[in-house]
Amino acid sequence: MGGAAREGPADAITARSVYVKLFTKEDYPHHVFGLHKLLGLGCLLHYIFRFALVPFKDDMWFSASWTTAATLGMHAVLSLSSLIFKIPKKRIVEGSRIWPEYRLHSIIFACRSLACMALLWVEQRNEWAPLYWGNAAIVMSTLIAADVASWSVGEASRSSTIRDLDAPPALQFFFSVMQFHATAGCLVGVRRYSTQFVYVWIIQFTAFLMTLRRKNLAPHRPLVRIYGVMLTFGFVIATLDALSANSWAFVNTVANTAAIGRLGCRIDKYVLWLIMAAFCSFARQTVVPGNPLGHLAQLWPYTWALSVVGVLLMGKRRLSEVAAKEKAAGKAK
């Protein structure tokens, strides 16, 4: 529950302690072979299988097959099945254990990426042109769903996932910017499965790591570092996908600009992403081979560079503000 120490030592990990703490009676119908555990095992094996294919198969071997559709459903049900577990109503101080708002947001944002993958599957299955309006609808619907989820849990169960996390300020800033890259990836909608699949992995595996922390089977700080490594891996996969679609500088410009607009200029998130959606509807044409606007693609490396400078300056300002607050707090003591 809330008020725990920032970094308590993990319990001595033995086979029995893992069994007792992870295999609970909440996982119906049986505490050993329950729904959530079976789905978790299936999803884990699926992640291993797809990631192992990265060097050998294009787009992790996803396709418009019913096998792909079935695996998307498996991951969606895994996230939804987390609702069967009882969790503390209030986030603890260190912030690395699941609380009600986070659980709902985890489900919503995992389903966001799964919905983007499902949209691509439908397009490929029916041989349709990309339905980019669907990506915008998914992003905006997710924003609404997340706000409704936050409202539904009550004020006591709300907490900012990144700002209230016990982590170095620079790492917090990196985590925040990567959230904008994930949303931009969904909005721009590069027609690849891999990026969205990695986003689902980050969300679902992070929830598992937080479960380990809640059960005191892992310490806080190593889990924070692992999360950073996972985000970096996700960025690498997203980069490879965007490069294959001649869209890397474009996607990163959108992500960085959104981060500056929200974190630096405090633009309302609905206004911000509506503007970005309208912008993307035009900007996508510049990266389509043979499009009359294709000559504008040469501008993207420059806009990307400017956006990176903006993010770095914003990060410098934020770190300076944190340092000033810590200094003032030290003097007050």
Side-chain angles (χ1 to χ4, degrees):
M1 296 295 288
R6 282 183 175 269
E7 181 69 76
D11 292 344
I13 299 176
T14 64
R16 177 165 178 76
S17 68
V18 172
Y19 174 84
V20 170
K21 293 183 177 183
L22 291 184
F23 292 78
T24 66
K25 295 181 180 180
E26 293 173 283
D27 196 359
Y28 181 85
H30 190 272
H31 68 286
V32 176
F33 301 107
L35 173 66
H36 191 72
K37 295 179 187 65
L38 289 175
L39 288 168
L41 178 60
C43 289
L44 176 61
L45 294 175
H46 187 222
Y47 287 129
I48 294 172
F49 172 71
R50 296 293 181 180
F51 291 164
L53 291 174
V54 170
F56 309 107
K57 294 290 184 179
D58 182 56
D59 207 11
M60 295 186 186
W61 214 13
F62 282 107
S63 66
S65 66
W66 287 108
T67 300
T68 290
T71 56
L72 298 186
M74 176 176 66
H75 285 278
V77 176
L78 172 65
S79 287
L80 291 170
S81 68
S82 67
L83 293 171
I84 67 178
F85 296 102
K86 296 178 181 178
I87 58 175
K89 291 185 177 181
K90 190 174 181 180
R91 188 182 191 182
I92 65 170
V93 174
E94 69 183 25
S96 61
R97 303 184 191 185
I98 295 175
W99 67 102
E101 183 185 37
Y102 176 85
R103 177 166 63 181
L104 293 178
H105 283 191
S106 175
I107 294 170
I108 290 166
F109 289 111
C111 288
R112 177 181 70 177
S113 288
L114 291 170
C116 289
M117 295 176 74
L119 177 62
L120 175 55
W121 184 87
V122 170
E123 292 170 354
Q124 292 181 342
R125 191 80 182 177
N126 295 282
E127 298 183 349
W128 292 345
L131 302 174
Y132 289 120
W133 61 266
N135 291 86
I138 290 169
V139 168
M140 299 310 298
S141 298
T142 302
L143 295 177
I144 295 171
D147 280 347
V148 171
S150 295
W151 168 81
S152 70
V153 299
E155 186 175 355
S157 296
R158 295 177 198 147
S159 177
S160 173
T161 302
I162 302 301
R163 287 196 303 271
D164 296 335
L165 177 67
D166 179 19
L171 204 54
Q172 282 188 339
F173 182 72
F174 170 69
F175 292 169
S176 295
V177 172
M178 286 297 101
Q179 288 185 327
F180 287 91
H181 277 259
T183 302
C186 294
L187 180 63
V188 173
V190 172
R191 263 31 195 178
R192 304 272 292 179
Y193 290 96
S194 301
T195 295
Q196 300 303 327
F197 185 66
V198 170
Y199 292 161
V200 177
W201 167 68
I202 291 172
I203 294 167
Q204 293 189 330
F205 197 70
T206 298
F208 174 67
L209 294 178
M210 294 175 77
T211 297
L212 294 181
R213 182 66 190 126
R214 184 166 72 91
K215 301 292 186 177
N216 212 28
L217 292 172
H220 167 71
R221 296 193 183 281
L223 297 187
V224 172
R225 297 188 188 101
I226 290 173
Y227 181 61
V229 172
M230 292 165 62
L231 289 178
T232 302
F233 176 71
F235 183 75
V236 170
I237 296 298
T239 294
L240 294 175
D241 277 356
L243 286 172
S244 71
N246 193 34
S247 301
W248 185 81
F250 163 41
V251 175
N252 281 270
T253 295
V254 172
N256 291 337
T257 302
I260 294 168
R262 181 64 177 155
L263 299 178
C265 303
R266 311 309 300 173
I267 299 174
D268 177 83
K269 62 184 177 183
Y270 291 100
V271 173
L272 174 68
W273 288 112
L274 282 173
I275 292 173
M276 288 299 167
F279 173 72
C280 286
S281 66
F282 162 79
R284 285 191 196 94
Q285 302 175 56
T286 66
V287 296
V288 176
N291 190 283
L293 297 177
H295 64 283
L296 296 177
Q298 61 186 324
L299 298 177
W300 289 123
Y302 300 102
T303 60
W304 165 75
L306 288 173
S307 71
V308 169
V309 171
V311 168
L312 292 176
L313 290 175
M314 181 176 61
K316 182 177 182 297
R317 186 184 71 180
R318 176 159 291 197
L319 294 180
S320 297
E321 291 173 351
V322 171
K325 289 180 180 179
E326 291 179 348
K327 185 177 181 180
K331 288 183 178 180
K333 291 180 180 179

